[in-house]
Coordinates of all heavy atoms in Angstrom, one line a residue:
V1 N -31.3 -0.3 -9.6 CA -31.4 0.4 -10.9 C -30.1 0.6 -11.5 O -29.1 1.1 -10.8 CB -32.0 1.9 -10.6 CG1 -31.9 2.7 -11.8 CG2 -33.3 1.9 -10.0
L2 N -29.8 0.0 -12.6 CA -28.6 0.1 -13.4 C -28.6 1.4 -14.1 O -29.4 1.6 -15.1 CB -28.5 -1.1 -14.2 CG -27.1 -1.3 -15.0 CD1 -26.0 -1.5 -13.9 CD2 -27.2 -2.5 -15.9
S3 N -27.6 2.2 -13.8 CA -27.6 3.5 -14.5 C -26.6 3.5 -15.6 O -26.7 4.5 -16.5 CB -27.2 4.6 -13.4 OG -25.9 4.3 -12.9
C4 N -25.7 2.7 -15.7 CA -24.8 2.7 -16.8 C -24.1 1.3 -17.0 O -23.6 0.8 -16.0 CB -23.8 3.8 -16.6 SG -22.3 3.8 -17.8
A5 N -24.0 0.8 -18.1 CA -23.2 -0.3 -18.4 C -22.6 -0.2 -19.8 O -23.2 0.3 -20.7 CB -24.1 -1.6 -18.4
Q6 N -21.3 -0.4 -20.0 CA -20.6 -0.2 -21.2 C -19.5 -1.2 -21.4 O -19.0 -1.8 -20.5 CB -20.0 1.3 -21.2 CG -19.1 1.5 -20.1 CD -18.6 3.0 -20.0 OE1 -18.8 3.7 -21.1 NE2 -18.2 3.4 -19.0
A7 N -19.1 -1.4 -22.6 CA -18.1 -2.3 -23.0 C -17.3 -1.7 -24.0 O -17.8 -1.0 -25.0 CB -18.6 -3.7 -23.3
H8 N -15.9 -1.9 -24.1 CA -15.1 -1.3 -25.0 C -14.1 -2.3 -25.4 O -13.7 -3.2 -24.6 CB -14.4 0.0 -24.5 CG -15.4 1.0 -24.0 ND1 -16.0 1.9 -24.9 CD2 -15.8 1.4 -22.9 CE1 -16.8 2.7 -24.2 NE2 -16.6 2.4 -23.0
L9 N -13.4 -2.2 -26.6 CA -12.2 -3.0 -26.9 C -11.0 -2.4 -26.1 O -10.1 -3.2 -25.9 CB -12.0 -3.0 -28.3 CG -13.1 -3.7 -29.2 CD1 -12.7 -3.6 -30.7 CD2 -13.2 -5.2 -28.8
D10 N -11.0 -1.2 -25.8 CA -9.8 -0.5 -25.3 C -10.1 -0.7 -23.7 O -10.7 0.0 -23.1 CB -9.7 1.0 -25.6 CG -8.6 1.7 -24.9 OD1 -7.9 1.1 -24.2 OD2 -8.5 2.8 -25.2
H11 N -9.3 -1.5 -23.0 CA -9.4 -1.8 -21.6 C -8.8 -0.6 -20.7 O -8.8 -0.8 -19.5 CB -8.7 -3.1 -21.2 CG -9.3 -4.2 -21.8 ND1 -9.0 -5.5 -21.6 CD2 -10.3 -4.3 -22.7 CE1 -9.7 -6.3 -22.2 NE2 -10.6 -5.7 -23.0
S12 N -8.2 0.5 -21.4 CA -7.6 1.5 -20.6 C -8.5 2.7 -20.4 O -8.0 3.7 -19.9 CB -6.2 1.8 -21.2 OG -6.5 2.4 -22.5
T13 N -9.7 2.7 -20.9 CA -10.6 3.9 -20.8 C -11.2 4.1 -19.4 O -11.4 3.1 -18.7 CB -11.7 3.7 -21.9 OG1 -12.5 2.6 -21.5 CG2 -11.1 3.7 -23.3
G14 N -11.2 5.4 -19.1 CA -12.0 5.7 -17.9 C -11.2 4.9 -16.5 O -10.0 4.9 -16.5
N15 N -12.1 4.7 -15.7 CA -11.7 4.1 -14.4 C -11.7 2.5 -14.6 O -11.6 1.9 -13.6 CB -12.6 4.4 -13.2 CG -12.5 5.9 -13.0 OD1 -11.4 6.5 -13.1 ND2 -13.6 6.6 -12.6
A16 N -12.0 1.9 -15.8 CA -12.0 0.5 -15.9 C -10.7 -0.1 -15.7 O -9.7 0.4 -16.1 CB -12.4 0.3 -17.4
R17 N -10.8 -1.2 -14.9 CA -9.6 -2.1 -14.7 C -10.0 -3.5 -15.1 O -10.8 -4.1 -14.3 CB -9.2 -2.0 -13.3 CG -8.6 -0.6 -13.0 CD -8.1 -0.6 -11.5 NE -9.4 -0.8 -10.8 CZ -9.6 -0.3 -9.6 NH1 -8.8 0.5 -9.1 NH2 -10.8 -0.5 -8.9
C18 N -9.5 -4.0 -16.1 CA -9.9 -5.3 -16.6 C -8.6 -6.2 -16.3 O -7.5 -5.8 -16.8 CB -10.3 -5.4 -18.0 SG -10.5 -7.1 -18.7
P19 N -8.7 -7.2 -15.6 CA -7.6 -8.2 -15.3 C -6.9 -8.9 -16.6 O -6.0 -9.4 -16.6 CB -8.0 -9.1 -14.3 CG -9.5 -9.1 -14.5 CD -9.9 -7.7 -15.0
G20 N -7.8 -8.7 -17.6 CA -7.2 -9.4 -18.9 C -7.6 -10.9 -18.9 O -8.3 -11.4 -18.0
S21 N -7.1 -11.5 -20.0 CA -7.4 -13.0 -20.2 C -6.3 -13.5 -21.1 O -5.9 -12.8 -21.9 CB -8.8 -13.1 -20.8 OG -8.9 -14.5 -21.3
P22 N -6.0 -14.8 -21.0 CA -5.1 -15.4 -21.9 C -5.7 -15.6 -23.3 O -5.1 -15.8 -24.4 CB -4.7 -16.8 -21.3 CG -5.8 -17.1 -20.3 CD -6.4 -15.7 -19.9
A23 N -7.1 -15.5 -23.4 CA -7.8 -15.6 -24.7 C -7.6 -14.5 -25.5 O -7.5 -13.3 -25.0 CB -9.3 -15.9 -24.4
S24 N -7.5 -14.6 -26.9 CA -7.3 -13.4 -27.6 C -8.6 -12.6 -27.7 O -8.5 -11.3 -27.8 CB -7.0 -13.9 -29.1 OG -8.0 -14.7 -29.6
F25 N -9.8 -13.1 -27.5 CA -11.0 -12.4 -27.5 C -11.7 -12.8 -26.2 O -11.8 -14.0 -25.8 CB -11.9 -12.7 -28.7 CG -11.4 -12.2 -30.0 CD1 -10.8 -13.0 -30.9 CD2 -11.6 -10.9 -30.3 CE1 -10.3 -12.6 -32.0 CE2 -11.1 -10.4 -31.5 CZ -10.5 -11.3 -32.3
H26 N -12.1 -11.8 -25.4 CA -12.8 -12.2 -24.2 C -13.8 -11.0 -23.8 O -13.5 -9.9 -24.2 CB -11.9 -12.4 -23.0 CG -11.1 -11.3 -22.6 ND1 -9.8 -10.9 -23.3 CD2 -11.2 -10.4 -21.6 CE1 -9.3 -10.0 -22.7 NE2 -10.1 -9.6 -21.7
A27 N -14.7 -11.3 -23.0 CA -15.7 -10.3 -22.6 C -15.4 -9.6 -21.4 O -14.7 -10.2 -20.5 CB -17.1 -11.0 -22.5
W28 N -15.7 -8.4 -21.2 CA -15.5 -7.6 -20.0 C -16.6 -6.5 -19.9 O -17.1 -6.2 -21.0 CB -14.1 -7.1 -19.8 CG -13.7 -6.0 -20.6 CD1 -13.5 -6.1 -22.1 CD2 -13.5 -4.7 -20.4 NE1 -13.2 -4.9 -22.5 CE2 -13.2 -4.0 -21.5 CE3 -13.7 -4.0 -19.1 CZ2 -13.0 -2.6 -21.4 CZ3 -13.4 -2.6 -19.1 CH2 -13.1 -2.0 -20.3
V29 N -16.9 -6.1 -18.8 CA -17.9 -5.0 -18.6 C -17.5 -4.2 -17.5 O -16.9 -4.6 -16.5 CB -19.3 -5.6 -18.5 CG1 -19.5 -6.4 -17.2 CG2 -20.3 -4.6 -18.7
V30 N -17.9 -2.8 -17.6 CA -17.7 -1.9 -16.5 C -19.2 -1.5 -16.2 O -20.0 -1.1 -17.0 CB -16.9 -0.8 -16.9 CG1 -17.0 0.4 -15.8 CG2 -15.6 -1.1 -17.3
M31 N -19.5 -1.5 -15.0 CA -21.0 -1.1 -14.5 C -20.9 -0.1 -13.4 O -20.0 -0.2 -12.5 CB -21.7 -2.4 -14.0 CG -22.0 -3.2 -15.1 SD -23.3 -4.5 -14.6 CE -22.1 -5.7 -14.0
E32 N -21.8 0.8 -13.5 CA -22.0 1.7 -12.3 C -23.5 1.5 -12.0 O -24.4 1.6 -12.9 CB -21.8 3.2 -12.8 CG -21.9 4.2 -11.7 CD -21.6 5.6 -12.1 OE1 -20.5 5.7 -12.8 OE2 -22.5 6.4 -12.0
A33 N -23.8 1.4 -10.8 CA -25.1 1.1 -10.4 C -25.5 1.8 -9.1 O -24.7 2.3 -8.3 CB -25.3 -0.4 -10.0
S34 N -26.9 2.2 -9.1 CA -27.4 2.8 -7.9 C -28.1 1.7 -7.2 O -29.0 1.0 -7.7 CB -28.4 4.0 -8.4 OG -27.7 5.0 -9.1
L35 N -27.8 1.6 -5.8 CA -28.4 0.5 -5.1 C -29.3 1.0 -4.0 O -29.2 2.2 -3.5 CB -27.2 -0.3 -4.4 CG -26.2 -0.8 -5.4 CD1 -25.1 -1.4 -4.5 CD2 -26.8 -1.9 -6.3
S36 N -30.2 0.2 -3.6 CA -31.1 0.5 -2.5 C -30.6 0.1 -1.2 O -31.3 0.2 -0.1 CB -32.5 0.1 -2.8 OG -32.4 -1.4 -2.8
V37 N -29.4 -0.5 -1.2 CA -28.8 -0.9 0.1 C -27.4 -0.2 0.3 O -26.9 0.5 -0.7 CB -28.5 -2.4 0.0 CG1 -29.9 -3.2 0.0 CG2 -27.6 -2.9 -1.0
S38 N -26.8 -0.2 1.4 CA -25.6 0.4 1.6 C -24.5 -0.3 0.9 O -24.5 -1.5 0.4 CB -25.2 0.5 3.1 OG -24.9 -0.9 3.5
C39 N -23.4 0.4 0.7 CA -22.2 -0.2 0.0 C -21.7 -1.3 0.8 O -21.2 -2.4 0.2 CB -21.0 0.9 -0.2 SG -21.4 2.2 -1.4
L40 N -21.7 -1.2 2.1 CA -21.3 -2.4 2.9 C -22.2 -3.6 2.7 O -21.7 -4.7 2.6 CB -21.3 -2.0 4.5 CG -20.9 -3.0 5.4 CD1 -19.4 -3.5 5.1 CD2 -21.0 -2.5 6.9
A41 N -23.5 -3.4 2.7 CA -24.4 -4.6 2.4 C -24.1 -5.1 1.1 O -24.1 -6.3 0.9 CB -25.8 -4.0 2.6
A42 N -23.9 -4.3 0.0 CA -23.6 -4.8 -1.3 C -22.4 -5.6 -1.3 O -22.2 -6.7 -2.0 CB -23.6 -3.8 -2.3
R43 N -21.3 -5.0 -0.7 CA -20.0 -5.7 -0.6 C -20.2 -7.2 0.0 O -19.7 -8.0 -0.5 CB -19.0 -4.8 0.2 CG -17.7 -5.4 0.6 CD -17.0 -4.5 1.5 NE -16.0 -5.2 2.1 CZ -14.6 -5.2 1.6 NH1 -14.4 -4.5 0.5 NH2 -13.8 -5.8 2.2
E44 N -20.9 -7.1 1.2 CA -21.0 -8.4 1.9 C -21.8 -9.4 1.1 O -21.5 -10.6 1.0 CB -21.9 -8.2 3.2 CG -20.9 -7.5 4.3 CD -21.7 -7.0 5.6 OE1 -22.9 -7.2 5.5 OE2 -21.1 -6.6 6.4
E45 N -22.8 -8.9 0.3 CA -23.6 -9.9 -0.6 C -22.7 -10.5 -1.6 O -22.7 -11.7 -2.0 CB -24.7 -9.1 -1.3 CG -25.6 -10.0 -2.1 CD -26.4 -11.0 -1.4 OE1 -26.5 -10.9 -0.2 OE2 -26.7 -12.0 -2.0
V46 N -21.8 -9.7 -2.4 CA -20.9 -10.2 -3.3 C -20.0 -11.1 -2.8 O -19.8 -12.2 -3.3 CB -20.1 -9.0 -4.0 CG1 -19.1 -9.4 -4.9 CG2 -21.0 -8.1 -4.8
L47 N -19.4 -10.8 -1.6 CA -18.5 -11.8 -1.0 C -19.1 -13.1 -0.6 O -18.6 -14.1 -0.7 CB -17.8 -11.1 0.2 CG -16.7 -10.0 -0.2 CD1 -16.2 -9.2 1.1 CD2 -15.7 -10.4 -1.1
A48 N -20.3 -13.0 0.0 CA -21.0 -14.1 0.4 C -21.4 -15.0 -0.8 O -21.3 -16.2 -0.7 CB -22.3 -13.7 1.2
R49 N -21.8 -14.4 -1.9 CA -22.1 -15.3 -3.1 C -20.8 -16.0 -3.6 O -21.0 -17.2 -4.0 CB -22.7 -14.4 -4.2 CG -24.2 -13.9 -3.8 CD -24.7 -13.2 -4.9 NE -26.0 -12.7 -4.6 CZ -27.0 -12.3 -5.4 NH1 -26.7 -12.3 -6.7 NH2 -28.1 -11.8 -5.0
V50 N -19.8 -15.3 -3.7 CA -18.5 -16.0 -4.2 C -18.2 -17.1 -3.2 O -17.9 -18.2 -3.7 CB -17.3 -15.0 -4.3 CG1 -16.0 -15.7 -4.7 CG2 -17.7 -13.9 -5.5
A51 N -18.2 -16.8 -1.9 CA -17.9 -17.9 -0.9 C -19.0 -19.0 -0.9 O -18.5 -20.2 -0.7 CB -17.9 -17.2 0.5
G52 N -20.2 -18.6 -1.2 CA -21.3 -19.6 -1.4 C -21.1 -20.7 -2.4 O -21.6 -21.8 -2.3
Q53 N -20.3 -20.4 -3.4 CA -20.1 -21.4 -4.4 C -19.2 -22.5 -3.9 O -19.5 -23.7 -4.1 CB -19.5 -20.8 -5.7 CG -20.5 -20.0 -6.6 CD -20.0 -19.8 -7.9 OE1 -18.9 -19.4 -8.1 NE2 -20.8 -20.0 -8.8
A54 N -18.3 -22.1 -3.0 CA -17.4 -23.2 -2.5 C -18.1 -24.1 -1.5 O -17.8 -25.3 -1.5 CB -16.2 -22.4 -1.8
N55 N -19.0 -23.5 -0.7 CA -19.7 -24.4 0.2 C -21.2 -24.8 -0.2 O -21.9 -25.4 0.6 CB -19.7 -23.7 1.6 CG -20.6 -22.5 1.6 OD1 -21.4 -22.2 0.8 ND2 -20.2 -21.6 2.5
K56 N -21.4 -24.6 -1.6 CA -22.6 -25.1 -2.1 C -23.8 -24.4 -1.6 O -25.0 -25.0 -1.6 CB -22.8 -26.6 -2.0 CG -21.6 -27.4 -2.6 CD -21.5 -27.3 -4.0 CE -20.4 -28.2 -4.5 NZ -19.8 -27.9 -5.7
T57 N -23.8 -23.2 -1.1 CA -25.0 -22.5 -0.5 C -25.5 -21.5 -1.5 O -26.6 -20.9 -1.3 CB -24.7 -21.9 0.7 OG1 -23.7 -20.8 0.5 CG2 -24.3 -22.8 1.9
W58 N -24.7 -21.3 -2.7 CA -25.3 -20.3 -3.7 C -24.8 -20.8 -5.0 O -23.7 -21.3 -5.3 CB -24.7 -19.0 -3.4 CG -25.2 -17.9 -4.5 CD1 -26.4 -17.3 -4.4 CD2 -24.5 -17.4 -5.7 NE1 -26.5 -16.4 -5.5 CE2 -25.4 -16.5 -6.3 CE3 -23.3 -17.6 -6.1 CZ2 -25.1 -15.8 -7.4 CZ3 -23.0 -17.1 -7.4 CH2 -23.8 -16.1 -8.0
D59 N -25.8 -20.8 -6.1 CA -25.4 -21.1 -7.5 C -25.8 -19.9 -8.2 O -26.8 -19.1 -8.1 CB -26.2 -22.2 -7.9 CG -25.8 -23.6 -7.4 OD1 -24.5 -23.8 -7.4 OD2 -26.6 -24.3 -7.0
D60 N -24.9 -19.6 -9.2 CA -25.2 -18.4 -10.2 C -26.4 -18.8 -11.0 O -26.4 -19.7 -11.7 CB -23.9 -18.2 -11.1 CG -24.1 -17.2 -12.1 OD1 -25.0 -16.4 -12.0 OD2 -23.4 -17.1 -13.1
P61 N -27.5 -18.0 -11.0 CA -28.6 -18.3 -11.6 C -28.7 -17.9 -13.1 O -29.5 -18.3 -14.0 CB -29.7 -17.4 -11.0 CG -29.0 -16.2 -10.4 CD -27.7 -16.8 -10.1
H62 N -27.6 -17.3 -13.5 CA -27.3 -17.0 -14.9 C -26.2 -17.8 -15.5 O -25.0 -17.5 -15.6 CB -27.0 -15.4 -15.0 CG -26.8 -15.1 -16.6 ND1 -27.9 -14.9 -17.4 CD2 -25.6 -14.8 -17.2 CE1 -27.4 -14.6 -18.5 NE2 -26.1 -14.4 -18.5
G63 N -26.6 -18.9 -16.1 CA -25.7 -19.8 -16.8 C -24.8 -20.5 -15.8 O -23.8 -21.1 -16.3
D64 N -25.0 -20.6 -14.5 CA -24.2 -21.4 -13.7 C -22.8 -21.1 -13.8 O -21.9 -22.0 -13.8 CB -24.5 -22.9 -13.7 CG -24.1 -23.6 -12.5 OD1 -24.2 -23.0 -11.4 OD2 -23.8 -24.9 -12.6
G65 N -22.4 -19.8 -13.8 CA -21.0 -19.5 -13.9 C -20.2 -19.7 -12.7 O -20.8 -19.9 -11.6
L66 N -18.9 -19.7 -12.8 CA -18.0 -20.1 -11.6 C -17.4 -18.8 -11.3 O -16.6 -18.2 -12.2 CB -17.1 -21.2 -12.0 CG -17.7 -22.5 -12.3 CD1 -16.6 -23.4 -12.8 CD2 -18.5 -23.0 -11.2
Y67 N -17.4 -18.3 -10.1 CA -16.7 -17.0 -9.7 C -15.7 -17.3 -8.8 O -15.6 -18.2 -8.0 CB -17.8 -16.1 -8.9 CG -18.9 -15.6 -9.8 CD1 -20.0 -16.4 -10.2 CD2 -18.9 -14.2 -10.1 CE1 -21.0 -15.8 -10.9 CE2 -19.9 -13.8 -11.0 CZ -20.9 -14.5 -11.3 OH -22.0 -14.1 -12.2
R68 N -14.6 -16.5 -9.0 CA -13.4 -16.7 -8.2 C -13.0 -15.2 -7.7 O -13.0 -14.3 -8.5 CB -12.2 -17.2 -9.0 CG -11.0 -17.4 -8.2 CD -10.0 -18.2 -9.1 NE -9.8 -17.7 -10.4 CZ -8.7 -17.1 -10.8 NH1 -7.6 -16.9 -9.8 NH2 -8.6 -16.7 -12.0
L69 N -12.9 -15.0 -6.4 CA -12.4 -13.7 -5.9 C -10.9 -13.6 -6.1 O -10.1 -14.4 -5.7 CB -12.7 -13.8 -4.3 CG -12.3 -12.5 -3.5 CD1 -13.2 -11.4 -4.0 CD2 -12.4 -12.7 -2.0
L70 N -10.7 -12.4 -6.9 CA -9.3 -12.1 -7.2 C -8.7 -11.2 -6.2 O -7.5 -11.3 -5.8 CB -9.2 -11.5 -8.7 CG -9.7 -12.4 -9.7 CD1 -9.7 -11.5 -11.1 CD2 -8.9 -13.6 -9.8
S71 N -9.5 -10.2 -5.8 CA -8.9 -9.2 -4.7 C -10.1 -8.4 -4.2 O -11.1 -8.3 -4.8 CB -7.9 -8.3 -5.4 OG -8.5 -7.4 -6.3
Y72 N -9.9 -7.8 -3.0 CA -10.8 -7.0 -2.4 C -10.2 -6.2 -1.4 O -9.2 -6.5 -0.8 CB -12.1 -7.7 -1.9 CG -11.8 -8.4 -0.6 CD1 -12.2 -7.9 0.6 CD2 -11.4 -9.7 -0.7 CE1 -12.1 -8.6 1.8 CE2 -11.2 -10.5 0.5 CZ -11.6 -9.9 1.7 OH -11.5 -10.6 2.9
D73 N -10.7 -4.9 -1.3 CA -10.2 -3.9 -0.2 C -11.3 -3.1 0.2 O -12.5 -3.5 -0.1 CB -9.0 -3.1 -0.7 CG -9.3 -2.3 -2.0 OD1 -10.4 -1.8 -2.1 OD2 -8.3 -2.1 -2.7
A74 N -11.2 -2.0 0.9 CA -12.3 -1.1 1.3 C -13.1 -0.5 0.3 O -14.2 -0.2 0.4 CB -11.7 -0.1 2.3
E75 N -12.5 -0.4 -0.9 CA -13.2 0.3 -2.0 C -13.5 -0.5 -3.2 O -14.5 -0.2 -3.9 CB -12.2 1.5 -2.6 CG -11.9 2.5 -1.5 CD -13.1 3.3 -1.1 OE1 -13.9 3.6 -2.0 OE2 -13.2 3.6 0.0
N76 N -12.9 -1.7 -3.4 CA -13.1 -2.5 -4.7 C -13.1 -4.0 -4.4 O -12.5 -4.5 -3.5 CB -11.9 -2.3 -5.6 CG -11.8 -0.7 -6.0 OD1 -12.7 -0.3 -6.7 ND2 -10.8 -0.1 -5.6
I77 N -13.9 -4.6 -5.3 CA -13.9 -6.1 -5.3 C -13.7 -6.5 -6.7 O -14.4 -6.0 -7.6 CB -15.2 -6.6 -4.7 CG1 -15.5 -6.2 -3.3 CG2 -15.3 -8.3 -4.9 CD1 -16.9 -6.7 -2.8
T78 N -12.7 -7.5 -6.9 CA -12.5 -7.9 -8.4 C -12.8 -9.4 -8.3 O -12.2 -10.2 -7.5 CB -11.0 -7.6 -8.8 OG1 -10.8 -6.2 -8.7 CG2 -10.8 -8.0 -10.1
V79 N -13.6 -9.9 -9.2 CA -14.0 -11.3 -9.3 C -13.8 -11.6 -10.8 O -13.8 -10.8 -11.6 CB -15.4 -11.6 -8.8 CG1 -15.6 -11.3 -7.4 CG2 -16.4 -10.9 -9.8
D80 N -13.5 -13.0 -11.0 CA -13.4 -13.6 -12.2 C -14.6 -14.5 -12.4 O -14.9 -15.3 -11.5 CB -12.1 -14.4 -12.3 CG -12.0 -15.1 -13.6 OD1 -11.8 -14.4 -14.7 OD2 -12.0 -16.4 -13.6
R81 N -15.4 -14.4 -13.5 CA -16.4 -15.3 -13.8 C -16.1 -16.1 -15.0 O -15.8 -15.6 -16.1 CB -17.8 -14.6 -14.0 CG -18.9 -15.4 -14.2 CD -20.2 -14.7 -14.7 NE -21.3 -15.6 -14.8 CZ -21.5 -16.4 -16.0 NH1 -20.7 -16.4 -17.0 NH2 -22.6 -17.1 -15.9
R82 N -16.3 -17.3 -14.9 CA -16.1 -18.3 -16.0 C -17.3 -19.1 -16.3 O -18.1 -19.4 -15.4 CB -15.0 -19.4 -15.8 CG -13.7 -18.8 -15.3 CD -12.9 -18.3 -16.5 NE -11.8 -17.5 -16.2 CZ -10.6 -17.8 -16.5 NH1 -10.4 -18.8 -17.3 NH2 -9.6 -17.0 -16.1
S83 N -17.7 -19.1 -17.5 CA -18.9 -19.8 -17.9 C -18.7 -21.4 -17.7 O -17.5 -21.7 -17.9 CB -19.3 -19.6 -19.3 OG -19.6 -18.3 -19.5
S84 N -19.7 -22.1 -17.3 CA -19.5 -23.5 -17.0 C -20.2 -24.3 -18.1 O -20.8 -23.7 -19.0 CB -20.0 -24.0 -15.7 OG -21.4 -23.6 -15.4

């Protein structure tokens, strides 16, 4: 269940952290979601999907985007998605 999705031109609002882009216009989104699985399970799924692109075990079903893991720690995962 997605409880909130928002986008703004101002990347400094709220808890949003956008890594930016060299493009003068680019898309970004902040989402807050309620999940039916644990945070650990969701985290493992995100990391597995990103890793799955490299070993050809997962393809993005929405436009076949290319995901790159930028950083992760106990609280956050940051990925970059490029349209292909």
Side-chain angles (χ1 to χ4, degrees):
V1 176
L2 185 62
S3 60
C4 176
Q6 57 186 343
H8 304 279
L9 292 176
D10 179 2
H11 294 185
S12 63
T13 58
N15 293 324
R17 287 180 300 215
C18 179
S21 170
S24 57
F25 292 100
H26 64 280
W28 71 287
V29 66
V30 174
M31 288 189 276
E32 181 179 310
S34 298
L35 305 174
S36 60
V37 298
S38 70
C39 287
L40 179 60
R43 171 191 167 88
E44 289 174 352
E45 182 67 24
V46 169
L47 294 174
R49 288 182 184 201
V50 173
Q53 284 195 315
N55 63 22
K56 308 289 187 205
T57 60
W58 183 80
D59 287 314
D60 175 17
H62 180 71
D64 201 29
L66 301 173
Y67 289 78
R68 183 170 52 109
L69 182 63
L70 299 178
S71 66
Y72 71 98
D73 59 31
E75 298 292 321
N76 299 289
I77 298 173
T78 304
V79 296
D80 176 66
R81 182 192 185 274
R82 303 285 168 123
S83 298
S84 58

